[in-house]
Amino acid sequence: MKHTLETIAKLAGVSRGTVSRVVNQSPGVKPQVRQRVQQIIDENGYVPHPQARSLAGGTTGNIGVIAFSDNPDYLTHHIFYEVLQAIQADSAANDYDLLLFANRSSSDEQYWKRVATRRKVDGLVIMGEHILEEHLLFYRQQQIPFVLIGKRDFVKLPLACVTSNYYSGAYSATKHLIEKGKRNLVYIHGLANMYHENARYMGYCQALAEAGLEVRPELVIEGHARQKDAALQMRKLIEEGLPFDGVFAANDLMAFGAMEVLQQRGINIPQQVAVVGFDDVQAAVYYSPALTTVRQDKRKLGEEAMRMLLDMLKGNMAADEARTVMIDCDLIVRETT
């Protein structure tokens, strides 16, 4: 016989609510009653369903990762899967199962809400370029602890975030190009109006300013974080005849797009134009020539996010505490500079 809260309650001669409080280790049950109920649970081999425990106010033993993106290929993104590996390892080491959710923004606009209302998880790690304040406010109202990978600033919502130090990474990349004798530097933007994009651009500008160089707006182009868009804009730049001798792209994919066009036009890399990317995707070292880039410590991003989330779940950190953990980046010099 498969037992339920109701059948255990009947055998113990108590209410369903009493059994629920015993199962979830909640207060409000006399010691002798708790002992009797627990004995009946043990004797009958009753195992509560994780979701039922959650609905009753207990825990599920699950940690969720949700990705907010309109790109159906986001789950194969180089950063996402490396971060996810670290989250999975730490969740398993702490006896949590991992559930993966991907926002179905085009086909199911309420999916992201059900992640919380169905109570399948004890906490969330949230990623993606389309995280809205509406999402986070709802999870906070539902009392679901969460940590963001990638910084966000919402005035009325203190957040726990883990982010790479995009500013210093971009600064070091730009300074490296300048130290190589490059003076007319193209900057290829990624996604507009994002924290990480603004930080990278500021690092680029700071390095130019320290070298006595001005930001030339005509050399700042939009790549939309895509290889093909970066290639298109680089092609236009060359056709317009604007002189440049260095390229800093806000991610490696856009750097690949720029290199593709430069090679098609017979422009030598790095002698005529040096190129630096950002992220250090796995393909960077195998590209020809091998790409100089800024390496994000993607495993560390996942590890730090899990550390904060576990602190919340253990009561060592308030779920609404504002905290930002900044992970340093490293410049990896290869053949394109």
Side-chain angles (χ1 to χ4, degrees), residues 45-204:
Y46 170 64
V47 179
H49 190 280
Q51 189 171 340
R53 287 187 64 184
S54 180
L55 290 169
T59 59
T60 67
N62 298 325
I63 283 174
V65 176
I66 183 166
F68 284 97
S69 175
D70 289 336
N71 184 350
D73 295 328
Y74 184 82
L75 298 185
T76 64
H77 194 279
H78 54 278
I79 293 179
F80 180 82
Y81 73 75
E82 290 188 55
V83 170
L84 189 63
Q85 287 176 330
I87 294 172
Q88 191 280 328
D90 284 1
S91 60
N94 287 274
D95 296 324
Y96 281 95
D97 291 322
L98 191 66
L99 299 183
L100 177 61
F101 305 96
N103 186 39
R104 309 169 186 165
S105 56
S106 60
S107 60
D108 186 351
E109 295 182 355
Q110 299 301 307
Y111 176 73
W112 62 272
K113 285 188 175 181
R114 293 198 300 279
V115 170
T117 56
R118 288 183 176 177
R119 295 287 175 176
K120 293 182 177 181
V121 297
D122 297 330
L124 285 170
V125 177
I126 303 175
M127 300 177 64
E129 67 269 26
H130 293 304
I131 302 170
L132 302 179
E133 187 171 15
E134 174 190 5
H135 303 145
L136 305 182
L137 280 169
F138 183 78
Y139 295 144
R140 185 65 52 79
Q141 290 164 359
Q142 295 295 312
Q143 298 183 331
I144 302 290
F146 60 81
V147 175
L148 273 65
I149 293 183
K151 182 159 177 66
R152 299 292 189 282
D153 290 309
F154 297 124
V155 176
K156 297 181 180 180
L157 188 63
L159 298 171
C161 304
V162 181
T163 183
S164 295
N165 194 333
Y166 297 103
Y167 175 88
S168 68
Y171 172 85
S172 64
T174 308
K175 186 176 180 181
H176 174 67
L177 286 168
I178 294 169
E179 289 172 346
K180 290 293 181 179
K182 309 303 181 180
R183 291 296 180 270
N184 298 299
L185 306 183
V186 173
Y187 181 82
I188 308 181
H189 267 295
L191 297 169
N193 301 318
M194 301 290 289
Y195 166 83
H196 54 269
E197 182 56 50
N198 294 337
R200 276 189 288 238
Y201 184 62
M202 289 172 61
Y204 162 81

